[in-house]
Amino acid sequence: MHELPELDNYRALLAEQFAGALITGVEITNVKAFQASEEEIQRDVVGKVLWFVERRGLHLLLHLDNGKRLLLRLGQGAYLYKGSEEDRPDRAAQVKLHFGEIVLYCVGLKSDDLQLLKVLEVEEKLGRFGYDALDKRLTIDRFIAAFAKKRSSIKTALMDQNVISGIGTVYSDEICYAAGLRPDAKIPVFERATWERLYEAMHKILKEAISHGGAGEQPFAAGDALTGGQRNLFQVYDREGQACPQCGGLIEKIEVSGRKAFVCSDCQKDQ
Ligand SMILES: [Zn+2]
């Protein structure tokens, strides 16, 4: 699973390792994974410098020094690995970006997960999504306004990338728990104080998870001790039948709009 904290961990690692580095070659073993022609890749990617790495919602954007962007999406089971020809990941990579002797392996990519785009095309693709959950422009008033037309449960709306972007099934549960709010609580009854608790919980949970390296299952490189540090720190997610860290009661698994959700019924209320 890759939600905002896992992708932000990649953003920081990629920036640290590759910002300013020259892309010396691109190897593709599954042409469907990279939405660009061989000619475009040779012309617009090979020989270009990776200038800057950005994360927007659930996407990574690699800025090249010719103004083009590589838009990367990491689906279920996909991951990135920095190695060399000898130090390679266990699974086959669909795309390999070469930076001299260093190789960035992109593993588990599906159709069009990597795209070569112009700036305007990036805006067309990402412009429809809501504010990134950690965007500084997302004030409490804008946060409340983003949910204004929603009548669903709060978990479903938190996961809707058109409302705000970056949150999926894992962190929506953790955020609801930190806010003392049931994931199946219905939005129309919320008062301003409820939104304020949720807004604060969202920032706290996402920032803490980033500081722990997210919950990714694969290390980014040999000796990477940061990535995945969040995995054993979840309070409710995937902890059915275990004790609630706050009250000691049992955590239950429920279903919210067809998705599993984890909740402590003693600590989490309808508003
Ligand atoms: Zn509890």
Side-chain angles (χ1 to χ4, degrees):
M1 51 131 251
H2 298 287
E3 299 182 26
L4 188 153
E6 289 70 42
L7 292 166
D8 212 72
N9 185 53
Y10 276 137
R11 177 200 59 73
L13 289 166
L14 288 169
E16 186 185 303
Q17 304 286 335
F18 294 110
L22 181 72
I23 300 172
T24 52
V26 178
E27 260 184 272
I28 301 164
T29 55
N30 177 354
V31 289
K32 286 185 185 156
F34 199 158
Q35 194 200 48
S37 68
E38 181 61 34
E39 189 194 340
E40 288 171 316
I41 292 167
Q42 288 303 325
R43 188 188 63 210
D44 290 335
V45 183
V46 177
K48 302 297 176 279
V49 171
L50 172 52
W51 202 243
F52 178 72
V53 185
E54 183 188 7
R55 181 195 55 73
R56 275 170 66 179
L58 297 176
H59 292 84
L60 289 170
L61 267 175
L62 280 56
H63 295 227
L64 306 182
D65 66 346
N66 57 354
K68 296 283 173 64
R69 307 280 190 266
L70 291 173
L71 179 67
L72 177 63
R73 185 174 56 192
L74 293 174
Q76 190 74 31
Y79 63 92
L80 302 176
Y81 187 81
K82 186 203 85 163
S84 62
E85 286 298 344
E86 296 76 39
D87 172 18
R88 46 176 61 230
D90 299 336
R91 285 169 52 203
Q94 286 69 46
V95 177
K96 296 189 221 171
L97 298 179
H98 291 263
F99 297 83
E101 291 183 357
I102 300 174
V103 184
L104 178 65
Y105 292 89
C106 304
V107 180
L109 298 191
K110 304 235 165 49
S111 282
D112 299 341
D113 278 349
L114 186 59
Q115 304 188 7
L116 175 65
L117 300 172
K118 295 176 188 151
V119 175
L120 272 176
E121 293 169 328
V122 170
E123 296 312 319
E124 275 168 27
K125 284 192 184 288
L126 302 187
R128 68 187 174 89
F129 295 124
Y131 279 107
D132 186 273
L134 292 184
D135 190 326
K136 288 191 168 53
R137 294 169 297 176
L138 181 63
T139 59
I140 178 67
D141 289 329
R142 284 179 174 148
F143 181 72
I144 296 171
F147 293 91
K149 290 184 180 143
K150 290 285 161 184
R151 293 289 173 267
S152 67
S153 61
I154 187 59
K155 178 181 173 83
T156 308
L158 279 171
M159 291 172 60
D160 183 344
Q161 303 303 305
N162 297 321
V163 176
I164 48 172
S165 56
I167 297 168
T169 191
V170 176
Y171 291 97
S172 56
D173 279 0
E174 293 293 306
I175 290 166
C176 286
Y177 177 76
L181 202 55
R182 290 185 62 86
D184 54 358
K186 293 286 184 281
I187 287 176
V189 302
F190 289 8
E191 292 165 358
R192 187 174 174 95
T194 312
W195 290 115
E196 285 173 353
R197 264 174 24 234
L198 191 67
Y199 181 77
E200 196 180 312
M202 176 180 81
H203 284 91
K204 175 175 175 285
I205 291 294
L206 295 176
K207 286 177 183 171
E208 280 179 6
I210 290 170
S211 74
H212 294 128
E217 291 179 7
Q218 303 289 339
F220 177 67
D224 170 16
L226 174 68
T227 300
Q230 176 64 31
R231 275 211 304 282
N232 297 319
L233 298 173
F234 290 125
Q235 305 286 291
V236 285
Y237 175 73
D238 209 19
R239 296 191 67 238
E240 183 186 15
Q242 297 182 44
C244 164
Q246 280 177 43
C247 74
L250 287 189
I251 293 164
E252 304 157 53
K253 181 163 84 173
I254 61 170
E255 207 170 278
V256 180
S257 306
R259 305 295 292 262
K260 64 182 177 183
F262 298 89
V263 59
C264 171
S265 290
D266 291 326
C267 294
Q268 294 172 258
K269 304 297 177 196
D270 284 325
Q271 63 170 298

